[in-house]
Amino acid sequence: MHLLNLGILAHVDAGKTSLTERLLHSAGVIDEIGSVDAGSTRTDTLALERQRGITIKSAVVSFPVDDVTVNLIDTPGHPDFIAEVERVLGVLDGAVLVVSAVEGVQAQTRVLMRTLRRLRIPTLLFVNKVDRRGARQEELLRAVARRLTPAVVPMGRVTGIGAREARFVPGLGPSAPDVLAEHDDDLLAAYVDGRLSRDHLRAALAAQTRQALVHPVYFGSAITGAGVDALVAGVKELLPAAGGDPDGPVSATVFKVERGLAGEKVAYARMFSGTLRVRDRVPYGDARTEGRVTAIGVFDHGTDVRADAVSAGRIARLWGLADVRIGDAVGEPGAARERFFAPPTLETVVVPGPGVSGGALHLALTRLAEQDPLIGLRHDELRQETSVSLYGEVQKEVLQATLDDEFGLCVSFRETTPLCVERPVGTGAAAEFVKKGGNPFLATVGLRVDPAPAGSGVDFRLEVELGAMPYAFFKAVEDTVRETLGQGLHGWQVTDCTVTLTHCGYCPRQSHAHQGFDKSMSSTGADFRGLTPLVLIEALRRAGTLVHEPVHRFRVEAPADTLGALLPVLSALRAVPRTTVTRGSVCLLEGGVPAARVHALEQRLPGLTRGEGDLESAFDHYAPVTGDTVPERPRTDHNPLDRKEYLLNLTCRVGR
């Protein structure tokens, strides 16, 4: 059986979910096409998705194309849910990127296409809504070639564009040989000699599409069905089948986790190798916890059916893995997963409403974090507050509605703030020695902090012999260093630095005659975990840190005569235009804007540009915070900045 795991991606409202409905109808899986507006689509199963008419969670549905079984994954289009898209990209064999023939290439379209090209995922483009007034063909193809990729091959032409009767006439366009010859010398020679056959051209098209070198473009309408049959034929002919050895070692990746009717975890996993059977015991996750698979569901002809086994290439729902999380490897770990998109750059405090207990709210947020690892929960015991990380304001609204609908919890939010980071500005070192200088721990720890290049993260190194003390103590120091760096001198995560262990020492295991281990005379891991934050924070204090805020790159396309009104507002929002280009009546501005001001820019742009302005933004870099006020983040640890308070907190004597 041939399998294909296909993702449907698009900017919000390009018609992605409607296309999914049309594909299922064409394949005979559903008798009636669902409507996004009516909330009756097959893949938008959440009540909130039906109410808002947007996709929030990825969904899987299967349909046959002759002898090929396609697992179709519908993904969110709104940029606030880009994390959901990221998880899906790692399990795809191919993709269809939907573009609106009316709105054209939009901000999220560019972000998605850049990522698909970087990951070399074979991708077809489907230009939707050719039946709508204002639909364009040639102009849109030029925009695709200019803003997405020049390696596009039109797979036909549209007749009656912009009318309900619009139809797609399949057939390779005259530009196909030129585009394909860029990557095939034999085809180029045949083309020049006049001996290029249609079969040779189609074979080259299929080969180059599967290598993600070129991108076929289809036109059509998900509403009327125009062009959909040609797209389905292209999916079968041009995209690669799922690979993997069913007899190899079991290896799968979890890309979605949900709760079943009884509250149990259900993991959606793509099988890359091997065959997994019910009652098999398999390791999973970073801890390599072993779990027993109690049930398996596979996708077939639009439904989820139970199966005794699932083999390489398929997508399955797995029961029985109690502690599974999104991104976990099941069985043999695969290649390390790359982060495709930037992490969230915003944060807000969730405020419980009347009658909502902090415990119930924390439990509900923990459940949601299981389904979305980028909901970075941060609980402040002292203030009894829980913060969550966000991509944008729409995500906040969805989180609020989800807590109300699924958990019956009424909440509100404080003002959204940017998630800053701290970077060391110099080198700092500190050390504390056993039984010296008021060190209450049976441990010696010396650490040096050095700045590292932006984007390098945290590196932990040794300047002492690995055999100088038990490995468990080295591990305790390293783990505590990484944990402590979560809150620097100003409370923000410290990154882009190298931490080196310069001194170490311990008290060997001792015991009295005829008695057991004497903890008061022997070092334990707790000694190293307790001392390391004090030493590290002192080293950071001597190095100094600088708070950096997230900055988005922005691209604004607006009428040229609105530039005078736009520039002062950009300045007030601390946006810095770097390039300004005028093309006829349209002006294009590109530059940087603090992440905290993006939402305000989105809100003000329509009024400044008569509703004609188009904004595209995405995280770009962290920049030092300017101004006299350095943003501080409340601490949630034992506060190693204050030695006395830290030791009191550590020994649980605070408030007693």
Side-chain angles (χ1 to χ4, degrees):
M1 176 176 60
H2 293 288
L3 293 166
L4 170 63
N5 297 301
L6 179 71
I8 303 287
L9 300 93
H11 185 99
V12 65
D13 289 336
K16 171 178 47 60
T17 300
S18 297
L19 177 60
T20 300
E21 290 291 308
R22 174 61 66 176
L23 290 171
L24 295 178
H25 182 266
S26 299
V29 170
I30 56 177
D31 296 326
E32 185 176 345
I33 296 175
S35 166
V36 173
D37 294 335
S40 57
T41 57
R42 185 64 172 267
T43 52
D44 285 346
T45 56
L46 298 178
L48 192 59
E49 291 178 313
R50 296 179 185 275
Q51 291 167 14
R52 295 184 65 102
I54 61 172
T55 301
I56 298 170
K57 294 291 183 183
S58 59
V60 184
V61 66
S62 176
F63 66 90
V65 179
D66 298 331
D67 60 340
V68 177
T69 296
V70 178
N71 287 325
L72 188 66
I73 308 176
D74 186 15
T75 62
H78 198 285
D80 280 14
F81 308 105
I82 197 68
E84 192 74 21
V85 179
E86 175 171 321
R87 293 189 280 272
V88 169
L89 292 179
V91 305
L92 298 181
D93 301 306
V96 172
L97 181 62
V98 184
V99 182
S100 168
V102 179
E103 289 82 9
V105 176
Q106 296 168 282
Q108 187 75 347
T109 319
R110 286 165 56 86
V111 172
L112 292 169
M113 190 62 183
R114 278 199 302 266
T115 307
L116 290 166
R117 292 182 67 191
R118 188 170 77 247
L119 298 176
R120 300 191 69 80
I121 296 175
T123 302
L124 310 181
L125 275 68
F126 183 75
V127 180
N128 191 26
K129 303 183 182 180
V130 298
D131 57 322
R132 299 280 186 89
R133 180 180 299 176
R136 299 157 293 160
Q137 182 174 208
E138 295 303 324
E139 181 185 341
L140 191 137
L141 276 173
R142 289 193 295 271
V144 166
R146 185 178 72 253
R147 301 183 66 186
L148 297 183
T149 170
V152 292
V153 179
M155 300 300 292
R157 58 185 177 84
V158 183
T159 61
I161 192 165
R164 184 76 178 181
E165 298 75 26
R167 293 292 179 265
F168 180 68
V169 181
L172 282 176
S175 64
D178 295 316
V179 176
L180 295 171
E182 289 283 333
H183 310 284
D184 189 330
D185 291 341
D186 291 339
L187 187 146
L188 176 60
Y191 182 35
V192 171
D193 295 341
R195 50 186 177 83
L196 181 61
S197 67
R198 183 180 181 278
D199 290 343
H200 189 176
L201 200 60
R202 297 292 297 194
L205 175 64
Q208 293 187 30
T209 301
R210 289 168 186 160
Q211 297 174 61
L213 296 174
V214 301
H215 304 283
V217 182
Y218 295 84
F219 285 78
S221 168
I223 299 300
T224 67
V228 173
D229 288 344
L231 175 65
V232 170
V235 166
K236 178 187 175 184
E237 177 188 356
L238 303 177
L239 295 181
D245 180 7
D247 298 320
V250 170
S251 180
T253 298
V254 175
F255 66 92
K256 178 179 178 178
V257 174
E258 64 183 17
R259 291 276 177 173
L261 295 177
E264 77 283 12
K265 281 189 178 181
V266 184
Y268 286 67
R270 158 72 191 266
M271 294 289 297
F272 288 99
S273 172
T275 299
L276 189 61
R277 297 175 175 81
V278 175
R279 293 185 292 277
D280 279 355
R281 299 192 70 86
V282 289
Y284 64 92
D286 294 337
R288 309 311 292 154
T289 305
E290 193 171 87
R292 186 169 71 90
V293 178
T294 57
I296 295 174
V298 295
F299 297 92
D300 191 27
H301 284 73
T303 61
D304 172 15
V305 297
R306 293 299 177 98
D308 295 326
V310 59
S311 57
R314 299 205 73 160
I315 289 176
R317 300 175 77 206
L318 306 177
W319 281 259
L321 308 180
D323 299 318
V324 72
R325 290 181 62 84
I326 290 171
D328 281 354
V330 177
E332 294 291 324
R337 296 185 72 229
E338 175 193 358
R339 181 171 295 286
F340 310 135
F341 303 104
T345 55
L346 303 172
E347 184 179 53
T348 186
V349 173
V350 186
V351 181
V356 176
S357 71
L361 176 58
H362 188 68
L363 178 61
L365 289 170
T366 302
R367 286 282 185 92
L368 292 178
E370 292 173 352
Q371 301 172 25
D372 187 350
L374 290 180
I375 294 180
L377 294 186
R378 187 173 184 270
H379 188 62
D380 186 336
E381 286 287 350
L382 183 63
R383 297 169 183 79
Q384 288 298 299
E385 294 177 348
T386 301
S387 303
V388 295
S389 52
L390 301 168
Y391 277 100
E393 295 297 318
V394 172
Q395 191 180 6
K396 184 195 289 187
E397 296 172 21
V398 169
L399 182 60
Q400 184 180 39
T402 302
L403 288 169
D404 189 12
D405 294 344
E406 296 187 15
F407 301 95
L409 303 178
C410 177
V411 302
S412 59
F413 299 93
R414 293 203 189 137
E415 183 182 359
T416 302
T417 57
L419 269 172
C420 299
V421 299
E422 294 181 48
R423 288 175 173 154
V425 294
T427 295
E432 296 212 21
F433 300 89
V434 174
K435 300 178 182 178
K436 291 184 180 179
N439 178 6
F441 302 99
L442 293 178
T444 292
V445 174
L447 296 169
R448 186 178 68 248
V449 176
D450 295 293
S456 59
V458 175
D459 187 21
F460 182 79
R461 298 179 181 177
L462 300 179
E463 267 186 13
V464 295
E465 295 290 337
L466 192 57
M469 63 181 185
Y471 174 74
F473 295 163
F474 284 110
K475 186 74 167 87
V477 172
E478 180 178 358
D479 289 348
T480 307
V481 162
R482 296 186 183 279
E483 180 182 349
T484 304
L485 289 176
Q487 300 182 67
L489 303 181
H490 300 280
W492 304 102
Q493 181 180 3
V494 181
T495 187
D496 301 333
C497 64
T498 299
V499 180
T500 305
L501 182 63
T502 58
H503 299 79
C504 69
Y506 73 107
C507 294
R509 183 182 180 94
Q510 299 183 36
S511 60
H512 297 291
H514 310 296
Q515 295 181 11
F517 167 56
D518 188 344
K519 184 177 179 181
S520 67
M521 301 171 60
S522 311
S523 298
T524 66
D527 288 303
F528 288 90
R529 288 190 293 271
L531 180 59
T532 297
L534 287 173
V535 177
L536 179 57
I537 286 295
E538 182 58 30
L540 274 176
R541 202 193 313 261
R542 295 175 182 178
T545 64
L546 189 61
V547 177
H548 291 63
E549 65 179 339
V551 175
H552 283 217
R553 62 179 177 273
F554 74 86
R555 182 181 187 276
V556 171
E557 194 170 305
D561 61 356
T562 64
L563 186 60
L566 191 55
L567 287 176
V569 173
L570 290 174
S571 178
L573 295 174
R574 293 171 47 213
V576 180
R578 297 192 180 94
T579 61
T580 304
V581 179
T582 301
R583 297 173 182 160
S585 62
V586 176
C587 182
L588 181 66
L589 292 88
E590 294 183 340
V593 59
R597 307 301 179 96
V598 171
H599 183 58
L601 181 55
E602 289 174 340
Q603 290 182 313
R604 300 200 59 180
L605 188 65
L608 295 168
T609 61
R610 303 189 296 272
E612 299 177 40
D614 178 37
L615 171 66
E616 175 185 334
S617 75
F619 171 78
D620 188 59
H621 66 283
Y622 286 94
V625 172
T626 57
D628 298 330
T629 304
V630 177
E632 300 280 341
R633 193 187 197 196
R635 304 192 73 86
T636 60
D637 58 8
H638 293 312
N639 191 19
L641 284 169
D642 185 321
R643 185 183 186 91
K644 184 177 180 180
E645 180 185 344
Y646 173 79
L647 293 175
L648 285 172
N649 285 333
L650 203 62
T651 52
C652 302
R653 289 198 293 266
V654 172
R656 292 188 179 180

